[in-house]
Amino acid sequence: MPVDHRRIQGPECSEDYRKPKNLDAALLKKGGRRADGRKCGEQRKIFLKPGVVSQAKGSAYIELDHTKVICSVFDPREKASRNVEQQTVRGEIFCEFKFASFSGVQRRSHQQEADDKEYSLLLKNALEPAVCLHEFPNFQVDVQVLVLQDDGSSLAAAITCAGLALADAAVPMYDLPVGLSKAFTGDTEFYDPTGAEERLCLRGVDGESDHGVFTVGFLPTFNQVSQLFHSGHISPDRFEKMISEVGTLAAEVHKAVQAILLSAVKSSIDSSNNSKLLL
Amino acid sequence: MSSTNERIICVPGQVLCASSNDHVAGQGTFERMGYIYASLAGVVKVEKKLEINIVQVQSLKEQSTVPSPGDIVTARVLIVKSRQCMCEIKCIGDITLTRPFRAVLRQEDVRATEKDRVKMYESFAPGDIILARVLPIMDVHTYQLSTAENELGVVISNSEAGVPMVPISWTEMQCPVNFTKKLRKVAKVIPENIDMDMEDNTETEKKPNIS
């Protein structure tokens, strides 16, 4: 389809420029509880399962209440040589992030849109530091993420899911990456936001300067942040405070991922009847 | 870590032990800041070699094999050009690959002697199965192969009749159906069962030599 490069394309849909006066009543009930009954600093219950896609070398499925993400990792293949000048002998991770057409309230395109491409790059930045790229020189590992249902924190869920899928695919890694997200506006912070909370915090509340959604890719063992994405407005002190909290918040998710992986390995050992591994 | 039946299971990023002169990081592990960490999800194995404990992690899924320099690979010749031929690596050693890798075999690497006088058309043909060795990676995108050894070269080659040809010398192969000779760089493949009785061998291998 011919694209017009001369004119500046406006957004396809329009939004009211006025910010809401106060936090929507539906979002914060009495007693400081959120719409789904959680406290502001509480994570949704995680459901994780590795080895769900039979055609892929490794795969994982994550559910955070209504956010459902599935990730598949494929065997290393030769790098699609785009840059002949890029003479690196390192391996590469090729991420493809996609919101399914049925994942949100409005139908999305079946091809990658602008935010799919942006999230692909963010996911790649989050996963790259965790993978031992020198172990497969000149090859690329394909990571395909599909968001089946989006109810907030989909990028964070994708990072966690992709980390588990990479471990399931026996790709050598330095650490299990974990994704976290926080939405905030003014003084109110929603940890692991739902879709409605995210949308409100992206626009901000009238009169409050700090707002936005913060997504972090974190490597728990080495206490390193691999990827940080913030959309909105934040003061430097607030920023520092948020970064310092990431470690403790990530520990919970990391424990869950570790436990799932260990039990998956254990059940594979038991099912193979100790035949191959004893050699 | 958790153990079942005295086996230690680990996940990537888990600390295994402190690294020292006795304990060395092996396959599936990496060393950092004086400690050995696991890089795969699997079972921890400690191998003792000359009083050094090599700490390894064995994953349940086979780690994807990638051709590395020095490996002997089985490849199929795709295109033969005047100075090189393009091949597709099918197996590395005994392991058959799920995804074939592209490789290049240059004129200088076909033989050990008289390298510049080699004619590619007289050494390989498209569709031949060859045994070759992987050379150290020079080019970023393709592997480089070498058949400059007696044991390397064409193993299976089909004639125009569609029948596998029989090697008659190190440079010729003959079709058993129409007896035409073709020039190839033949590999010295030593069969697994060798009949050491030389007399029997010459009788069974007698073939009409009509040129």
Side-chain angles (χ1 to χ4, degrees), chain B residues 34-79:
Chain B
Y35 288 94
I36 298 179
Y37 295 82
S39 71
L40 294 174
V43 181
V44 182
K45 290 248 149 91
V46 182
E47 216 184 276
K48 251 203 162 157
K49 254 188 185 179
L50 305 168
E51 294 175 22
I52 300 178
N53 296 314
I54 302 177
V55 184
Q56 295 173 336
V57 175
Q58 200 177 56
S59 133
L60 298 150
K61 294 215 177 136
E62 266 174 38
Q63 236 194 304
S64 319
T65 29
V66 156
S68 53
D71 288 344
I72 295 196
V73 297
T74 310
R76 168 182 286 148
V77 177
L78 299 172
I79 304 170

Side-chain angles (χ1 to χ4, degrees), chain A residues 241-256:
Chain A
K241 184 171 156 281
M242 288 200 136
I243 294 286
S244 59
E245 289 169 356
V246 167
T248 37
L249 294 170
E252 216 186 285
V253 186
H254 184 58
K255 246 186 269 175

Side-chain angles (χ1 to χ4, degrees), chain A residues 69-83:
Chain A
V69 183
I70 191 163
C71 176
S72 326
V73 171
F74 297 92
D75 248 340
R77 62 180 169 108
E78 287 195 72
K79 245 191 238 182
S81 51
R82 280 164 229 142
N83 270 344

